[in-house]
Amino acid sequence: MRKSYRVKTERDFQEVFEQHNSVANKMFIVYTMERQEAKHFRLGISVSKKVGLRGHERVWIKRRIRQSVLEFKPQLKQNVDILVIARPSAHDVDMQTIKENLEHVFTKANLFID
């Protein structure tokens, strides 16, 4: 995923958190923020040490989240910032389960184009 598709800075993360538009399921919490004049969506991913104590475990989860979002890319609204926060139940699951849970939480957040 290109850097222009990422929420990277602490300021950008806090801006999305302050909007308080959040939806959750057992595996993920998703914060969203509408942006004006946006060409495409931006994605931020946070995986804490509660999810995976070792760094390679957290990177493994981030990669699977990022790949799942890339598969949803044509269906997603383009004028939003999306923050995905993984919960501890996301630790030892396969790619299909991650994708299903992300699809569920994105549907609840109304992120798909109608």
Side-chain angles (χ1 to χ4, degrees):
M1 184 174 290
R2 293 160 51 202
K3 287 190 179 186
S4 63
Y5 281 86
R6 297 183 191 169
V7 177
K8 292 293 280 182
T9 65
E10 179 68 24
R11 191 177 127 252
D12 289 343
F13 267 88
Q14 290 304 320
E15 207 174 305
V16 177
F17 281 131
E18 289 170 2
Q19 294 292 320
H20 298 293
N21 295 332
S22 66
V23 177
N25 65 6
K26 67 176 187 166
M27 215 171 274
F28 300 107
I29 304 168
V30 172
Y31 289 87
T32 60
M33 181 182 78
E34 298 271 335
R35 291 189 306 142
Q36 302 300 326
E37 302 175 13
K39 295 178 182 175
H40 52 76
F41 69 90
R42 294 190 311 167
L43 175 70
I45 302 172
S46 177
V47 181
S48 74
K49 287 185 179 179
K50 291 180 183 178
V51 178
L53 192 57
R54 296 183 179 102
H56 69 276
E57 295 169 343
R58 295 191 301 274
V59 169
W60 181 88
I61 295 167
K62 281 184 180 184
R63 285 181 180 176
R64 278 154 178 75
I65 292 170
R66 195 174 299 120
Q67 181 60 39
S68 296
V69 172
L70 278 174
E71 291 176 16
F72 296 138
K73 182 179 174 181
Q75 305 163 359
L76 288 174
K77 292 182 180 178
Q78 299 298 311
N79 63 338
V80 294
D81 283 350
I82 306 167
L83 297 183
V84 177
I85 300 169
R87 289 185 162 172
S89 61
H91 181 260
D92 279 329
V93 294
D94 60 347
M95 180 69 176
Q96 184 63 32
T97 307
I98 288 176
K99 187 174 179 180
E100 289 169 359
N101 278 281
L102 275 175
E103 183 176 14
H104 173 255
V105 78
F106 281 6
T107 302
K108 283 175 68 174
N110 196 23
L111 290 175
F112 291 118
I113 298 170
D114 296 328

